[in-house]
Amino acid sequence: MRMPALSEHVRTARLVVAAAARRVGVDEAGLDAIRLAVDEACARATLRAASRSADAASGHGAAAPDSVVAGTSPDDAPVDDHVEPLPADGIEITMVDEDGWFVVEVGEPANLVTEDPDVVEELDLAARVIDAVAPECSERVSGQSLITRMAWPLA
Amino acid sequence: MEVEIAVRRMAETTVVAVTGELDVYTAPQLDDVVTAEIDAGHTTLVLDFTQVEFLDSIGLGVVVRAVKSCRVASGSVSVVVATERIRRIFEITGLDKSIRVGVTLEEVAVSASTLPAPMLPASELPVPAPPASMLPAPSPPVSMLPVSMPAGSLRRATEGDHVVEG
């Protein structure tokens, strides 16, 4: 699933991921955690994207998709290695049923840096929430994307 | 889902009731309302989250900013939550230790002297309250609070008091 890093799409993202998690058997407690963690990861991406709005307005960023596009789900094939890189203010969410775990990866452009203290504080708070509700959580840089990987055990 | 925000006065307390979901999209609306209330001098706030169905760290950020702003004005912020799901967000972030979180409006309106002092670093302790500082009375029930409080009937915060209102 790809979407612009805009706050109005974050709710859609958390609902879609929660629905997918429910289909593969995640329990209610897990659904609450997944909904929150995905929300926080997407919110972080929107905050970072917004903090770079001046750069985007100057034309340094690539064009973002116009709407949320349904993409990979636990039933789909793995992501194509040749998928075009994320736009400057885009978010990509993948979901995989992997060895008894429901894995969600939220990707955003890796070059998003902000020094705004208010935003940094919010990002820190979001990270703490993700750490608390995702049994497995990690970040990595893959190509030009920062990937937040979160996983919950299936029932 | 949109968020609905209602403001009402209860004696010296302003209750901001929120219905719906507080996330990165809707939290700014609450931020605007709370900021307007604080700017208007209403710095004893109760945030009624009993009808909030979703709350994330961005929504919490609004609460934190309100706490900081009200503290500067020697006011207070309390929060009412009805569900474990919403309360857990405060616990996860540790904010339940520095913000009064109750289950009912009456509970958070109890005088700070009856509650254990939240633990905060010294740099986060509030400045001494000016003589005009007032706290909500512990009783009667909220619906029966008088429009104006009799002078001298409320506990006055004093310098060195470790109780944090918000």
Side-chain angles (χ1 to χ4, degrees):
Chain A
M1 182 171 70
R2 284 194 161 198
M3 62 188 217
L6 297 174
S7 60
E8 53 260 46
H9 296 311
V10 172
R11 182 172 188 267
T12 300
R14 65 177 184 255
L15 292 180
V16 168
V17 176
R22 187 189 301 273
R23 281 206 307 272
V24 298
V26 176
D27 62 19
E28 283 302 317
L31 292 177
D32 280 347
I34 289 170
R35 200 175 291 121
L36 182 58
V38 170
D39 172 273
E40 297 287 359
C42 292
R44 288 196 309 180
T46 65
L47 290 176
R48 284 193 272 247
S51 72
R52 285 169 36 258
S53 60
D55 286 345
S58 67
H60 290 160
D66 294 330
S67 61
V68 175
V69 177
T72 56
S73 75
D75 297 326
D76 289 350
V79 177
D80 187 340
D81 288 342
H82 298 294
V83 170
E84 60 188 51
L86 281 171
D89 54 354
I91 298 174
E92 181 173 27
I93 301 173
T94 59
M95 296 163 277
V96 177
D97 179 352
E98 184 181 280
D99 299 328
W101 289 77
F102 181 71
V103 179
V104 180
E105 293 192 339
V106 177
E108 60 181 293
N111 61 342
L112 303 180
V113 178
T114 179
E115 296 181 352
D116 184 329
D118 287 340
V119 177
V120 170
E121 184 175 354
E122 288 180 327
L123 294 176
D124 178 66
L125 207 53
R128 284 157 59 186
V129 173
I130 294 173
D131 284 343
V133 301
E136 286 192 5
C137 177
S138 61
E139 284 187 352
R140 71 179 190 277
V141 175
S142 175
Q144 298 178 20
S145 296
L146 172 66
I147 310 291
T148 300
R149 183 180 186 280
M150 302 166 286
W152 290 264
L154 293 172
Chain B
M1 174 183 236
E2 297 298 325
V3 66
E4 294 180 4
I5 302 170
V7 180
R8 65 182 190 274
R9 311 274 180 240
M10 305 184 79
E12 298 298 320
T13 300
T14 295
V15 179
V16 179
V18 183
T19 300
E21 299 179 338
L22 278 176
D23 64 7
V24 63
Y25 182 55
T26 59
Q29 297 177 50
L30 175 62
D31 204 14
D32 289 344
V33 170
V34 169
T35 298
E37 291 298 319
I38 294 173
D39 288 347
H42 305 131
T43 56
T44 301
L45 297 179
V46 171
L47 302 179
D48 182 353
F49 284 2
T50 55
Q51 301 301 314
V52 169
E53 299 172 1
F54 180 85
L55 175 67
D56 67 4
S57 63
I58 309 302
L60 277 183
V62 175
V63 178
V64 171
R65 282 192 294 278
V67 166
K68 291 179 178 178
S69 297
C70 287
R71 181 176 300 171
V72 168
S74 301
S76 69
V77 174
S78 304
V79 184
V80 185
V81 301
T83 63
E84 181 58 32
R85 172 194 294 172
I86 302 301
R87 174 179 290 276
R88 188 169 177 230
I89 308 302
F90 287 89
E91 294 171 352
I92 285 172
T93 55
L95 288 176
D96 59 324
K97 296 179 175 56
S98 56
I99 300 174
R100 183 182 303 150
V101 181
V103 181
T104 65
L105 206 53
E106 291 169 303
E107 178 184 344
V108 299
V110 171
S111 168
S113 62
T114 66
L115 297 175
M119 299 299 295
L120 282 180
S123 60
E124 292 294 311
L125 291 177
V127 296
S133 174
M134 298 173 73
L135 297 172
S139 60
V142 169
S143 60
M144 296 177 64
L145 284 175
V147 174
S148 60
M149 305 303 294
S153 67
L154 301 176
R155 175 179 172 279
R156 177 177 302 173
T158 58
E159 184 171 359
D161 194 331
H162 205 268
V163 174
V164 176
E165 289 300 321

PDB file of all heavy atoms in Angstrom, chain A residues 1-4 9 12 16 65-72 91-93 95:
ATOM      1  N   MET A   1       0.835  -1.175   0.000  1.00  0.00           N
ATOM      2  CA  MET A   1       0.000   0.000   0.000  1.00  0.00           C
ATOM      3  C   MET A   1       0.880   1.238   0.000  1.00  0.00           C
ATOM      4  O   MET A   1       1.774   1.357   0.835  1.00  0.00           O
ATOM      5  CB  MET A   1      -0.900  -0.005   1.241  1.00  0.00           C
ATOM      6  CG  MET A   1      -1.856   1.161   1.308  1.00  0.00           C
ATOM      7  SD  MET A   1      -3.069   0.960   2.647  1.00  0.00           S
ATOM      8  CE  MET A   1      -2.028   1.167   4.069  1.00  0.00           C
ATOM      9  N   ARG A   2       0.604   2.130  -0.938  1.00  0.00           N
ATOM     10  CA  ARG A   2       1.360   3.373  -1.017  1.00  0.00           C
ATOM     11  C   ARG A   2       0.400   4.534  -0.829  1.00  0.00           C
ATOM     12  O   ARG A   2      -0.732   4.497  -1.309  1.00  0.00           O
ATOM     13  CB  ARG A   2       2.062   3.516  -2.358  1.00  0.00           C
ATOM     14  CG  ARG A   2       3.296   2.656  -2.500  1.00  0.00           C
ATOM     15  CD  ARG A   2       4.124   3.077  -3.685  1.00  0.00           C
ATOM     16  NE  ARG A   2       5.475   2.578  -3.567  1.00  0.00           N
ATOM     17  CZ  ARG A   2       6.497   3.043  -4.252  1.00  0.00           C
ATOM     18  NH1 ARG A   2       6.318   4.022  -5.110  1.00  0.00           N
ATOM     19  NH2 ARG A   2       7.706   2.541  -4.106  1.00  0.00           N
ATOM     20  N   MET A   3       0.897   5.567  -0.169  1.00  0.00           N
ATOM     21  CA  MET A   3       0.038   6.720   0.053  1.00  0.00           C
ATOM     22  C   MET A   3       0.910   7.952   0.278  1.00  0.00           C
ATOM     23  O   MET A   3       2.082   7.834   0.664  1.00  0.00           O
ATOM     24  CB  MET A   3      -0.844   6.502   1.291  1.00  0.00           C
ATOM     25  CG  MET A   3      -0.061   6.326   2.587  1.00  0.00           C
ATOM     26  SD  MET A   3      -1.133   5.838   3.959  1.00  0.00           S
ATOM     27  CE  MET A   3      -0.371   6.740   5.284  1.00  0.00           C
ATOM     28  N   PRO A   4       0.351   9.104   0.044  1.00  0.00           N
ATOM     29  CA  PRO A   4       1.099  10.323   0.368  1.00  0.00           C
ATOM     30  C   PRO A   4       1.271  10.418   1.885  1.00  0.00           C
ATOM     31  O   PRO A   4       0.434   9.934   2.639  1.00  0.00           O
ATOM     32  CB  PRO A   4       0.202  11.453  -0.144  1.00  0.00           C
ATOM     33  CG  PRO A   4      -0.817  10.806  -1.014  1.00  0.00           C
ATOM     34  CD  PRO A   4      -0.958   9.396  -0.533  1.00  0.00           C
ATOM     35  N   HIS A   9      -4.532  10.492   5.600  1.00  0.00           N
ATOM     36  CA  HIS A   9      -4.478   9.109   5.135  1.00  0.00           C
ATOM     37  C   HIS A   9      -4.053   8.130   6.231  1.00  0.00           C
ATOM     38  O   HIS A   9      -4.125   6.922   6.036  1.00  0.00           O
ATOM     39  CB  HIS A   9      -3.516   8.971   3.958  1.00  0.00           C
ATOM     40  CG  HIS A   9      -3.931   9.730   2.746  1.00  0.00           C
ATOM     41  ND1 HIS A   9      -5.207   9.648   2.221  1.00  0.00           N
ATOM     42  CD2 HIS A   9      -3.261  10.600   1.966  1.00  0.00           C
ATOM     43  CE1 HIS A   9      -5.290  10.428   1.162  1.00  0.00           C
ATOM     44  NE2 HIS A   9      -4.128  11.020   0.982  1.00  0.00           N
ATOM     45  N   THR A  12      -6.769   5.695   7.381  1.00  0.00           N
ATOM     46  CA  THR A  12      -6.990   4.626   6.410  1.00  0.00           C
ATOM     47  C   THR A  12      -5.930   3.545   6.555  1.00  0.00           C
ATOM     48  O   THR A  12      -6.226   2.350   6.527  1.00  0.00           O
ATOM     49  CB  THR A  12      -6.960   5.191   4.983  1.00  0.00           C
ATOM     50  OG1 THR A  12      -7.995   6.169   4.847  1.00  0.00           O
ATOM     51  CG2 THR A  12      -7.179   4.086   3.955  1.00  0.00           C
ATOM     52  N   VAL A  16      -6.765  -0.338   7.404  1.00  0.00           N
ATOM     53  CA  VAL A  16      -6.473  -1.372   6.405  1.00  0.00           C
ATOM     54  C   VAL A  16      -5.565  -2.446   6.992  1.00  0.00           C
ATOM     55  O   VAL A  16      -5.793  -3.644   6.826  1.00  0.00           O
ATOM     56  CB  VAL A  16      -5.829  -0.748   5.146  1.00  0.00           C
ATOM     57  CG1 VAL A  16      -5.258  -1.834   4.243  1.00  0.00           C
ATOM     58  CG2 VAL A  16      -6.848   0.099   4.388  1.00  0.00           C
ATOM     59  N   PRO A  65       2.045  10.146  -4.929  1.00  0.00           N
ATOM     60  CA  PRO A  65       0.813   9.569  -5.464  1.00  0.00           C
ATOM     61  C   PRO A  65      -0.384  10.386  -4.995  1.00  0.00           C
ATOM     62  O   PRO A  65      -0.364  10.977  -3.927  1.00  0.00           O
ATOM     63  CB  PRO A  65       0.791   8.153  -4.877  1.00  0.00           C
ATOM     64  CG  PRO A  65       1.707   8.190  -3.717  1.00  0.00           C
ATOM     65  CD  PRO A  65       2.738   9.220  -4.007  1.00  0.00           C
ATOM     66  N   ASP A  66      -1.455  10.397  -5.814  1.00  0.00           N
ATOM     67  CA  ASP A  66      -2.591  11.247  -5.495  1.00  0.00           C
ATOM     68  C   ASP A  66      -3.464  10.659  -4.413  1.00  0.00           C
ATOM     69  O   ASP A  66      -4.228  11.365  -3.775  1.00  0.00           O
ATOM     70  CB  ASP A  66      -3.434  11.466  -6.759  1.00  0.00           C
ATOM     71  CG  ASP A  66      -2.679  12.265  -7.800  1.00  0.00           C
ATOM     72  OD1 ASP A  66      -1.842  13.085  -7.397  1.00  0.00           O
ATOM     73  OD2 ASP A  66      -2.912  12.054  -9.005  1.00  0.00           O
ATOM     74  N   SER A  67      -3.419   9.346  -4.213  1.00  0.00           N
ATOM     75  CA  SER A  67      -4.320   8.740  -3.243  1.00  0.00           C
ATOM     76  C   SER A  67      -3.712   7.461  -2.712  1.00  0.00           C
ATOM     77  O   SER A  67      -2.633   7.057  -3.128  1.00  0.00           O
ATOM     78  CB  SER A  67      -5.672   8.435  -3.908  1.00  0.00           C
ATOM     79  OG  SER A  67      -5.479   7.517  -4.970  1.00  0.00           O
ATOM     80  N   VAL A  68      -4.418   6.841  -1.783  1.00  0.00           N
ATOM     81  CA  VAL A  68      -3.953   5.574  -1.242  1.00  0.00           C
ATOM     82  C   VAL A  68      -4.151   4.491  -2.297  1.00  0.00           C
ATOM     83  O   VAL A  68      -5.200   4.382  -2.906  1.00  0.00           O
ATOM     84  CB  VAL A  68      -4.747   5.214   0.028  1.00  0.00           C
ATOM     85  CG1 VAL A  68      -4.341   3.837   0.522  1.00  0.00           C
ATOM     86  CG2 VAL A  68      -4.535   6.263   1.097  1.00  0.00           C
ATOM     87  N   VAL A  69      -3.121   3.697  -2.509  1.00  0.00           N
ATOM     88  CA  VAL A  69      -3.207   2.628  -3.504  1.00  0.00           C
ATOM     89  C   VAL A  69      -3.030   1.302  -2.796  1.00  0.00           C
ATOM     90  O   VAL A  69      -2.022   1.096  -2.119  1.00  0.00           O
ATOM     91  CB  VAL A  69      -2.112   2.785  -4.583  1.00  0.00           C
ATOM     92  CG1 VAL A  69      -2.167   1.619  -5.561  1.00  0.00           C
ATOM     93  CG2 VAL A  69      -2.274   4.110  -5.302  1.00  0.00           C
ATOM     94  N   ALA A  70      -4.005   0.412  -2.922  1.00  0.00           N
ATOM     95  CA  ALA A  70      -3.898  -0.888  -2.286  1.00  0.00           C
ATOM     96  C   ALA A  70      -2.752  -1.636  -2.915  1.00  0.00           C
ATOM     97  O   ALA A  70      -2.575  -1.630  -4.128  1.00  0.00           O
ATOM     98  CB  ALA A  70      -5.202  -1.659  -2.441  1.00  0.00           C
ATOM     99  N   GLY A  71      -1.971  -2.306  -2.111  1.00  0.00           N
ATOM    100  CA  GLY A  71      -0.802  -2.993  -2.647  1.00  0.00           C
ATOM    101  C   GLY A  71      -0.645  -4.346  -2.028  1.00  0.00           C
ATOM    102  O   GLY A  71      -1.556  -5.144  -2.015  1.00  0.00           O
ATOM    103  N   THR A  72       0.531  -4.613  -1.483  1.00  0.00           N
ATOM    104  CA  THR A  72       0.811  -5.943  -0.970  1.00  0.00           C
ATOM    105  C   THR A  72       0.006  -6.246   0.282  1.00  0.00           C
ATOM    106  O   THR A  72      -0.329  -5.370   1.061  1.00  0.00           O
ATOM    107  CB  THR A  72       2.302  -6.071  -0.641  1.00  0.00           C
ATOM    108  OG1 THR A  72       2.644  -5.039   0.277  1.00  0.00           O
ATOM    109  CG2 THR A  72       3.144  -5.933  -1.893  1.00  0.00           C
ATOM    110  N   ILE A  91       4.608   7.215   1.627  1.00  0.00           N
ATOM    111  CA  ILE A  91       4.718   6.141   2.604  1.00  0.00           C
ATOM    112  C   ILE A  91       4.340   4.842   1.905  1.00  0.00           C
ATOM    113  O   ILE A  91       3.394   4.804   1.115  1.00  0.00           O
ATOM    114  CB  ILE A  91       3.763   6.360   3.796  1.00  0.00           C
ATOM    115  CG1 ILE A  91       4.115   7.648   4.547  1.00  0.00           C
ATOM    116  CG2 ILE A  91       3.805   5.171   4.758  1.00  0.00           C
ATOM    117  CD1 ILE A  91       3.122   7.988   5.644  1.00  0.00           C
ATOM    118  N   GLU A  92       5.094   3.789   2.199  1.00  0.00           N
ATOM    119  CA  GLU A  92       4.742   2.485   1.659  1.00  0.00           C
ATOM    120  C   GLU A  92       4.586   1.504   2.814  1.00  0.00           C
ATOM    121  O   GLU A  92       5.452   1.424   3.691  1.00  0.00           O
ATOM    122  CB  GLU A  92       5.801   1.972   0.687  1.00  0.00           C
ATOM    123  CG  GLU A  92       5.440   0.608   0.086  1.00  0.00           C
ATOM    124  CD  GLU A  92       6.402   0.183  -1.005  1.00  0.00           C
ATOM    125  OE1 GLU A  92       7.558   0.617  -0.957  1.00  0.00           O
ATOM    126  OE2 GLU A  92       5.982  -0.572  -1.884  1.00  0.00           O
ATOM    127  N   ILE A  93       3.502   0.766   2.803  1.00  0.00           N
ATOM    128  CA  ILE A  93       3.236  -0.194   3.859  1.00  0.00           C
ATOM    129  C   ILE A  93       3.137  -1.581   3.242  1.00  0.00           C
ATOM    130  O   ILE A  93       2.390  -1.787   2.281  1.00  0.00           O
ATOM    131  CB  ILE A  93       1.928   0.138   4.603  1.00  0.00           C
ATOM    132  CG1 ILE A  93       2.023   1.536   5.217  1.00  0.00           C
ATOM    133  CG2 ILE A  93       1.653  -0.904   5.686  1.00  0.00           C
ATOM    134  CD1 ILE A  93       0.720   2.010   5.829  1.00  0.00           C
ATOM    135  N   MET A  95       2.679  -5.810   4.280  1.00  0.00           N
ATOM    136  CA  MET A  95       2.243  -6.724   5.333  1.00  0.00           C
ATOM    137  C   MET A  95       2.540  -8.155   4.893  1.00  0.00           C
ATOM    138  O   MET A  95       2.224  -8.521   3.759  1.00  0.00           O
ATOM    139  CB  MET A  95       0.739  -6.564   5.575  1.00  0.00           C
ATOM    140  CG  MET A  95       0.353  -5.190   6.090  1.00  0.00           C
ATOM    141  SD  MET A  95      -1.424  -4.864   5.906  1.00  0.00           S
ATOM    142  CE  MET A  95      -1.496  -4.331   4.189  1.00  0.00           C
TER     143      MET A  95
END
